[in-house]
């Protein structure tokens, strides 16, 4: 990764350029037309699609250029839903089945391992289809982590590991 957060990192992954060159550092700074894209060179014989659960990687920010299909899953809060991997699979798996017998390139950009580190099975989740708010009392949310003493970092690591395991299992 070329940066510490999504916008510049995604810009580098999708263009092959450093953040200083592609200029996508903040939400309002999308990818410009003149920059190369990860899909360049595939040609007509390869089907390309991107499945993204975040506005950081979205058509609004110029990330759809070069893809045959771009699936922006959910709305502004989609990435904060504990069931985001299931929602992603609802689109991804049929597409993979449709293109299984041909050349394809698919990018899956999911917020499934982003805070709040919650899965549908987390005890703090009442309804996995509802977005989690950054309520200060919900373990795994950003507000909760900010108040957590440093000697309890193992709690954060445990929630993060659970989120990774869930996302990996779904993928």
């Amino acid at each position: 990764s070329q940066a510490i957060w999504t916008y510049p990192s995604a810009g580098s992954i999708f263009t092959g350029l450093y953040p200083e060159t592609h200029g996508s550092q903040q939400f309002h700074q999308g990818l410009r037309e003149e920059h190369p894209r990860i899909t360049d060179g595939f040609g007509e014989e390869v089907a390309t699609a991107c499945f993204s659960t975040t506005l950081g990687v979205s058509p609004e920010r110029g990330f759809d250029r070069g893809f045959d299909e771009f699936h922006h899953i959910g709305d502004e809060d989609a990435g904060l839903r504990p069931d985001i991997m299931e929602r992603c699979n609802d689109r991804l798996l049929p597409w993979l089945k449709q293109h299984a017998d041909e050349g394809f390139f698919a990018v899956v950009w999911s917020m499934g391992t982003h805070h709040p580190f919650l899965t549908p099975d987390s005890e703090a989740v009442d309804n996995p289809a509802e977005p989690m708010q950054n309520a200060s009392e919900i373990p795994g949310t950003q507000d909760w982590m900010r108040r957590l003493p440093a000697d309890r970092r193992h709690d954060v690591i445990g929630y993060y590991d659970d989120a990774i395991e869930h996302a990996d299992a779904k993928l």
Side-chain angles (χ1 to χ4, degrees), residues 52-166:
S52 174
T53 64
T54 176
L55 286 170
V57 176
S58 65
E60 294 86 351
R61 299 196 65 243
F63 281 80
D64 58 334
R65 198 192 97 210
F67 287 99
D68 298 323
E69 297 179 40
F70 196 102
H71 299 263
H72 183 230
I73 300 158
D75 36 24
E76 291 181 18
D77 61 8
L80 302 179
R81 294 175 187 269
D83 69 342
I84 195 61
M85 291 307 298
E86 289 80 355
R87 292 169 56 110
C88 186
N89 281 344
D90 289 345
R91 299 260 191 98
L92 172 64
L93 297 178
W95 189 89
L96 289 174
K97 187 174 183 176
Q98 177 185 352
H99 297 282
D101 295 328
E102 60 186 86
F104 69 83
F105 175 76
V107 172
V108 179
W109 195 284
S110 177
M111 296 288 283
T113 57
H114 195 281
H115 72 81
F117 304 127
L118 300 173
T119 68
D121 299 328
S122 299
E123 58 187 56
V125 174
D126 294 325
N127 182 353
E130 290 294 319
M132 296 301 295
Q133 303 301 316
N134 278 339
S136 61
E137 299 305 314
I138 299 175
T141 61
Q142 193 174 47
D143 289 344
W144 176 82
M145 288 187 284
R146 283 185 179 141
R147 292 186 353 271
L148 203 62
D151 65 344
R152 292 206 33 221
R153 69 182 183 276
H154 63 278
D155 292 352
V156 175
I157 293 168
Y159 284 109
Y160 183 57
D161 287 347
D162 289 347
I164 290 172
E165 287 177 24
H166 177 76

